[in-house]
């Protein structure tokens, strides 16, 4: 399994309604991209200085499935929204423990 994690730190002026809409749209990706095995996005609840505002966790069978997701038109649309409203985006992709040995 391939794990995909993304975090967004929104620009301070982005209203809560837009933040919630971004999360809603992120969560909608699992229903339109069959290669997604699992996907969850949500708002940070801790609020530490180091915290990002929104996080996404997704699982894929392999790198090819992640690539299909990455290049899917709906993902590209939502990724563009994230780039517009975020001052910083970070991500990490790794193989699950069973494959890391």
């Amino acid at each position: 399994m391939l794990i995909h994690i993304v975090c967004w730190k929104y620009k301070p002026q982005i209203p809560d309604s837009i933040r919630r809409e971004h999360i809603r749209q992120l969560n909608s990706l699992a229903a339109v991209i069959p290669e997604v095995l699992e996907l969850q996005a949500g708002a940070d609840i801790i609020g530490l200085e180091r915290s990002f505002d929104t996080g996404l966790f997704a699982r894929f069978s392999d790198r090819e499935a992640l690539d299909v997701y990455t290049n899917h038109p709906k993902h590209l649309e939502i990724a563009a929204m994230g780039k517009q409203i975020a001052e910083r985006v970070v991500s990490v992709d790794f193989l699950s423990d069973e494959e890391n040995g």
Side-chain angles (χ1 to χ4, degrees), residues 22 25 29 72-84:
H22 184 231
Q25 287 192 32
L29 290 170
H72 190 281
K74 187 65 176 173
H75 173 264
L76 293 172
E77 174 187 323
I78 297 169
M81 176 190 187
K83 287 178 185 175
Q84 287 182 332

Side-chain angles (χ1 to χ4, degrees), residues 40-101:
Q40 296 178 29
D44 175 65
I45 60 168
I46 305 296
L48 299 174
E49 178 65 29
R50 67 182 179 146
S51 294
F52 277 64
D53 298 307
T54 293
L56 175 139
F57 165 88
R59 284 189 320 117
F60 299 90
S61 60
D62 53 28
R63 175 63 189 267
E64 291 76 23
L66 174 63
D67 290 344
V68 170
Y69 165 85
T70 300
N71 295 306
H72 190 281
K74 187 65 176 173
H75 173 264
L76 293 172
E77 174 187 323
I78 297 169
M81 176 190 187
K83 287 178 185 175
Q84 287 182 332
I85 64 176
E87 62 182 28
R88 186 156 183 229
V89 181
V90 296
S91 67
V92 63
D93 299 280
F94 60 91
L95 296 174
S96 64
D97 281 343
E98 61 215 32
E99 296 178 33
N100 274 332

Side-chain angles (χ1 to χ4, degrees), residues 8 10 16-29 39-44 53-56 78 81 85:
W8 293 263
Y10 297 126
D16 287 344
S17 60
I18 299 297
R19 295 168 186 235
R20 286 191 303 272
E21 178 61 15
H22 184 231
I23 292 169
R24 187 194 70 72
Q25 287 192 32
L26 290 168
N27 281 311
S28 76
L29 290 170
L39 185 146
Q40 296 178 29
D44 175 65
D53 298 307
T54 293
L56 175 139
I78 297 169
M81 176 190 187
I85 64 176

